[in-house]
């Protein structure tokens, strides 16, 4: 689908994509395709140089049929974020216009544009699979020629990042009658085999043997057994791994602390953290960075039955800590507790947990910013750096002792799973922190960011695959 070539304005393409800024000198070769009229067309407003505005014009001369101009605005508008979004817009236009032979004049945008283009193209042209009975017409992939001194690795890396995101999106979109703990584990095994990863699926009996009383309590009301999914990516010899732990609640009814009827719709997406982990492993499998990464997913649904766990229950987690259950809807932290404890058996250098954990993060930070907690500023800074490059925004919330104290407050147990409404995003993270100990740790609450209510330049509405690219980027540039 991708080709590399040097730019030659007289070559024949169906469309060439060109960035055009307000202050730019007009390239002679480009100008020749319009009989020297590009400047006039800009002045008359027939070509827009406004940021992100797309103008498509047929050429007056040469072999290429048309030019798709992307307005670059002023020089300081040319940011990584904008360029990626513009390419997303271009990709969507290619799809709607049915363009099949497109060349991209990369140098008219910015350095490193090849990687940005392929990443944006993968993400922007993605459509969620549906279960509609009428089959979808297959569309032919276009030929995309990247013009300039392009490295094949850049193309492949962009594609790998986009594909990882799309894996997470697809899984998050799947309904809970189809994506159960069992089928999620099957998917993980298939992914592991495809990329030659070591994997392990722990069954309920093994979890009982390990004393995973927290995860098992959440599963108690279910007819579907839980799974603890472990993937091992090895890109380095003797090096402690980074552990990425995902909440894989395939459906969250709230349990006996049941959700209201409006709040329950969409809870198929409560395995968004698990989806991020699997999306990340897809990217790792394709990019093969020189690092070691362990992925751990606690998978179960949170259901109601005569067997289900209840408020007031006291349960014992794998690390021996006892927990007073005050709210069965605060189940994600229980699942993460045992998943984190299990991840620690690999003696990781860092633990990163990813979860659709609280409605509180939505109230605090809205739908575009992932809420974080950390016990390690250096680790947080590397997340921040990566997130600036991917434009997946993150914000650190306070991990003060006052929150930890409240998580530890119980007359009957070591911890309680729901200290109250005020600050509850932080309580969720602080609870997980009780199982992390001293290992450098990042908690990513993606309840606000894992789905979006409207499409944007980089994809449809619905699951976003958030944090796949940021974590991949962080691992790619990891300092030992
Ligand atoms: N899965 C939810 C969090 C959630 C809310 C995800 C909205 C996506 C959108 C989580 O298990 C939950 O129910 N959290 C409770 C915690 C409370 C009981 C302390 C919440 O946020 O209300
Ligand atoms: Zn819940
Ligand atoms: Zn949940």
């Amino acid at each position: 689908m991708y080709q590399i070539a040097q730019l030659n304005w007289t070559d024949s393409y169906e469309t060439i994509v060109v960035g055009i800024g307000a202050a730019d000198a007009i390239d002679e070769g480009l100008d020749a395709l319009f009989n020297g009229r590009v400047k006039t067309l800009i002045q008359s407003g027939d070509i827009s140089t406004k940021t992100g505005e797309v103008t498509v014009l047929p050429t007056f001369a040469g072999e290429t049929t048309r030019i798709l101009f992307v307005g670059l605005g002023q020089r300081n508008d040319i940011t990584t974020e904008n360029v990626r979004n513009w390419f997303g817009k271009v990709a969507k236009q290619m799809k709607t216009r049915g363009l099949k032979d497109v060349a991209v004049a990369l140098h008219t945008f910015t350095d490193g544009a090849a990687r940005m283009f392929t990443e944006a193209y993968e993400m922007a042209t993605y459509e969620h699979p549906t279960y509609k009975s009428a089959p979808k017409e297959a569309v032919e992939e276009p030929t995309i020629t990247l013009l300039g001194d392009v490295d094949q690795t850049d193309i492949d890396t962009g594609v790998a990042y986009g594909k990882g995101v799309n894996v997470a999106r697809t899984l998050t979109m799947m309904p809970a009658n189809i994506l159960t703990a069992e089928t999620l584990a099957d998917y993980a095994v298939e992914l592991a085999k495809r990329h030659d990863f070591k994997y392990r699926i722990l069954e309920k009996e093994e979890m009982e043997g390990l004393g995973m009383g927290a995860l098992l309590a959440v599963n108690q009301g279910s007819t579907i057994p839980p799974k603890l999914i472990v993937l091992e990516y090895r890109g380095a010899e003797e090096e402690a791994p980074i552990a990425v732990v995902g909440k894989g609640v395939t459906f969250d009814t709230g349990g006996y602390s049941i959700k209201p009827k409006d709040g329950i719709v969409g809870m198929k997406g409560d395995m968004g953290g698990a989806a991020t982990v699997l999306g990340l492993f897809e990217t790792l499998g394709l990019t093969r960075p020189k690092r070691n990464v362990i992925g751990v997913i606690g998978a179960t649904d949170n259901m109601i039955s005569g067997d289900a766990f209840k408020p007031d229950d006291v349960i014992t987690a794998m690390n021996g800590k006892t927990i007073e259950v005050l709210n069965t809807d605060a189940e994600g932290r229980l699942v993460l507790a045992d998943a984190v404890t299990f991840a620690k058996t690999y003696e990781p250098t860092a633990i990163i947990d990813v979860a659709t954990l609280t409605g509180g993060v939505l109230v605090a930070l809205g739908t575009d910013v992932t809420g974080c907690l950390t016990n390690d500023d250096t680790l947080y800074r590397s997340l921040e750096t990566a997130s600036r490059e991917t434009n997946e925004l993150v914000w650190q919330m306070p991990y003060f002792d006052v929150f930890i104290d409240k998580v530890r407050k119980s007359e009957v147990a070591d911890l309680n799973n729901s200290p109250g409404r005020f600050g509850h995003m932080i309580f969720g993270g602080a609870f997980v922190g009780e199982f992390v100990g001293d290992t450098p740790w990042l908690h990513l609450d993606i309840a606000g960011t894992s789905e979006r209510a409207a499409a944007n330049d980089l994809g449809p509405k619905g699951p976003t695959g958030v944090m796949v690219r940021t974590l991949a980027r962080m691992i790619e540039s990891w300092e030992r």
Side-chain angles (χ1 to χ4, degrees):
M1 179 173 129
Y2 289 107
Q3 296 178 350
I4 303 172
Q6 287 305 324
L7 169 66
N8 188 349
W9 292 108
T10 53
D11 280 351
S12 164
Y13 298 104
E14 183 194 60
T15 306
I16 303 182
V17 178
V18 177
I20 192 128
D24 291 1
I26 310 297
D27 185 299
E28 267 179 36
L30 173 67
D31 213 17
L33 302 182
F34 293 91
N35 294 343
R37 306 258 288 277
V38 171
K39 204 162 209 122
T40 325
L41 288 166
I42 291 173
Q43 279 160 358
S44 64
D46 289 299
I47 296 174
S48 173
T49 59
K50 286 199 192 122
T51 60
E53 275 195 13
V54 170
T55 312
V56 182
L57 285 184
T59 56
F60 303 174
E63 296 295 317
T64 284
T65 317
R66 63 176 86 78
I67 304 292
L68 191 156
F69 291 98
V70 179
L72 304 178
Q74 305 299 327
R75 217 138 261 145
N76 57 6
D77 291 327
I78 309 174
T79 59
T80 314
E81 175 193 348
N82 279 343
V83 173
R84 194 187 287 106
N85 288 338
W86 297 336
F87 284 154
K89 215 173 209 174
V90 168
K92 285 195 172 184
Q93 292 256 343
M94 285 170 62
K95 207 168 161 183
T96 47
R97 290 169 188 264
L99 305 182
K100 292 283 170 262
D101 172 30
V102 176
V104 188
L106 293 171
H107 80 281
T108 62
F109 291 91
T110 182
D111 291 343
R115 178 172 168 171
M116 267 183 256
F117 186 89
T118 57
E119 181 177 303
Y121 186 86
E122 283 297 322
M123 287 172 72
T125 56
Y126 169 83
E127 286 175 48
H128 294 299
T130 69
Y131 301 89
K132 290 186 192 291
S133 52
K136 246 187 147 186
E137 264 179 57
V139 277
E140 191 196 323
E141 290 276 18
T143 301
I144 300 172
T145 310
L146 298 170
L147 302 169
D149 294 321
V150 177
D151 219 332
Q152 185 62 41
T153 320
D154 286 342
I155 297 181
D156 297 343
T157 308
V159 171
Y161 274 54
K163 284 205 186 308
V165 169
N166 294 342
V167 160
R169 287 169 166 177
T170 297
L171 289 169
T172 308
M173 191 69 180
M174 287 170 77
N177 62 328
I178 295 175
L179 191 78
T180 61
E182 246 151 9
T183 53
L184 186 67
D186 291 345
Y187 182 87
V189 169
E190 182 269 321
L191 187 148
K193 286 184 176 156
R194 190 149 41 82
H195 292 297
D196 204 17
F197 299 150
K198 258 175 90 177
Y199 64 88
R200 204 177 144 191
I201 308 295
L202 275 78
E203 304 294 337
K204 186 176 178 179
E205 297 66 34
E206 289 168 272
M207 291 158 74
E208 283 165 352
L210 289 168
M212 292 189 173
L215 202 166
L216 288 165
V218 176
N219 181 256
Q220 231 167 266
S222 180
T223 52
I224 302 165
K227 304 277 176 185
L228 192 90
I229 302 165
V230 187
L231 297 180
E232 278 183 56
Y233 167 73
R234 288 208 148 264
E237 285 296 317
E238 295 304 313
E239 189 183 271
I242 302 150
V244 187
V245 181
K247 168 179 173 182
V249 173
T250 54
F251 196 84
D252 183 11
T253 66
Y256 274 99
S257 312
I258 193 166
K259 287 184 181 294
K261 65 179 183 300
D262 294 334
I264 209 165
V265 176
M267 279 301 144
K268 65 175 181 180
D270 210 18
M271 34 53 71
T276 298
V277 174
L278 292 174
L280 171 66
F281 273 74
E282 179 73 30
T283 302
L284 294 176
L286 295 169
T287 54
R288 302 262 158 197
K290 291 187 171 52
R291 298 274 95 89
N292 294 333
V293 188
I294 302 286
V296 179
I297 291 166
T300 177
D301 47 10
N302 183 21
M303 303 297 284
I304 294 176
S305 82
D307 293 324
F309 79 139
K310 304 165 294 298
D312 289 347
D313 283 0
V314 175
I315 59 182
T316 307
M318 180 181 168
N319 71 349
K321 285 196 182 170
T322 55
I323 304 160
E324 180 183 9
V325 176
L326 294 179
N327 191 325
T328 59
D329 197 11
E331 85 299 340
R333 64 200 72 182
L334 301 174
V335 170
L336 289 174
D338 284 337
V340 161
T341 303
F342 188 81
K344 276 174 72 90
T345 62
Y346 288 84
E347 297 179 357
T349 44
I351 296 175
I352 304 171
D353 77 82
V354 196
T356 49
L357 207 66
T358 66
V361 75
L362 265 152
V363 177
L365 298 175
T367 53
D368 291 301
V369 182
T370 294
C372 311
L373 280 192
T374 187
N375 60 6
D376 189 292
D377 288 338
T378 314
L379 187 63
Y380 184 75
R381 269 195 298 280
S382 63
L383 173 80
E384 231 183 358
T385 306
S387 90
R388 248 181 256 120
E389 287 160 8
T390 57
N391 193 38
E392 296 185 315
L393 307 177
V394 296
W395 196 256
Q396 186 184 353
M397 304 295 268
Y399 183 40
F400 295 143
D401 286 346
V402 283
F403 295 102
I404 298 171
D405 292 345
K406 288 189 176 142
V407 164
R408 290 181 185 166
K409 202 164 169 290
S410 167
E411 287 179 15
V412 293
D414 300 328
L415 305 169
N416 80 82
N417 81 330
S418 182
R421 257 161 58 74
F422 301 127
H424 85 245
M425 178 270 162
I426 301 171
F427 290 137
F431 184 91
V432 179
E434 292 300 288
F435 298 83
V436 168
D438 294 334
T439 310
W441 162 65
L442 282 175
H443 166 70
L444 306 178
D445 191 337
I446 59 168
T449 49
S450 83
E451 307 206 20
R452 37 182 320 116
N456 70 359
D457 289 339
L458 292 176
K461 77 171 204 185
T464 56
V466 73
M467 290 298 128
V468 168
R469 290 182 300 129
T470 301
L471 293 180
R473 184 87 203 187
M474 200 177 153
I475 290 163
E476 185 188 331
S477 45
W478 194 269
E479 313 243 341
R480 277 172 235 231

